[in-house]
Amino acid sequence: MMRLIAAIVVLTLVAIGAGALAGLHLFAAAERVADAKKTATPPPLASSYAGSARLRKLSPIVTNLAAPANNWARVEASMVTESMSDEDAGILAAHISEDIVTYLRSATVTQFEGARGLQHLRDDLTERANIRSSGKVRELIIETLVIQ
């Protein structure tokens, strides 16, 4: 009986020692990983646009909506374009702004409700800008949309 108790005590001490060594080893490995993450430089963010793409801000657009008649919309947007002269970009921005005004005047407030409505607005305006520019506008980014 004494031998059995002694064997259990010895095995318990061996298990405690092995657990302590394993814990210390895991703790040291975790510290090494944390230190490596602190000193590592993050990879540069990859752009989905080529080097010739430029972001051009449009003038704020304020117009009334089709229904209800007393609602107004204010849109601030930017367009991602191919490389072009500033004069051509200014003319293109004016035409795209006119298209946005025309689109908003024919729209109702309910069309812009929720995330889906905002996504449809963004897609429609991007498609109009792309058609107007003959493919020179890659994307129209809606920065703010306020409806009163």
Side-chain angles (χ1 to χ4, degrees):
M1 180 75 155
M2 256 336 206
R3 289 182 121 187
L4 181 62
I5 293 174
I8 291 175
V9 168
V10 168
L11 285 175
T12 303
L13 292 175
V14 169
I16 290 172
L21 287 175
L24 289 173
H25 177 70
L26 288 175
F27 183 72
E31 279 186 337
R32 282 193 305 267
V33 169
D35 289 341
K37 283 186 179 180
K38 285 180 188 175
T39 59
T41 58
L45 296 175
S47 175
S48 59
Y49 302 112
S52 64
R54 280 194 60 196
L55 183 69
R56 299 177 191 271
K57 191 162 179 63
L58 300 176
S59 299
I61 300 165
V62 179
T63 186
N64 59 329
L65 298 175
N70 60 349
N71 279 21
W72 288 80
R74 182 175 196 272
V75 176
E76 291 183 17
S78 296
M79 60 182 182
V80 179
T81 63
E82 297 290 332
S83 180
M84 58 176 37
S85 70
D86 288 337
E87 182 180 335
D88 290 341
I91 293 170
L92 181 60
H95 288 298
I96 290 174
S97 294
E98 289 173 7
D99 284 348
I100 293 172
V101 168
T102 304
Y103 180 84
L104 290 175
R105 284 190 176 168
S106 66
T108 63
V109 174
T110 56
Q111 288 178 276
F112 308 134
E113 289 180 351
R116 182 175 287 162
L118 189 59
Q119 183 64 37
H120 285 301
L121 172 67
R122 182 180 170 277
D123 291 343
D124 288 345
L125 293 179
T126 298
E127 183 179 352
R128 283 174 168 256
N130 196 350
I131 291 170
R132 171 65 83 160
S133 68
S134 302
K136 291 180 183 173
V137 173
R138 295 183 184 181
E139 183 178 4
L140 190 82
I141 301 169
I142 299 173
E143 295 173 0
T144 61
L145 171 65
V146 178
I147 298 175
Q148 294 183 3

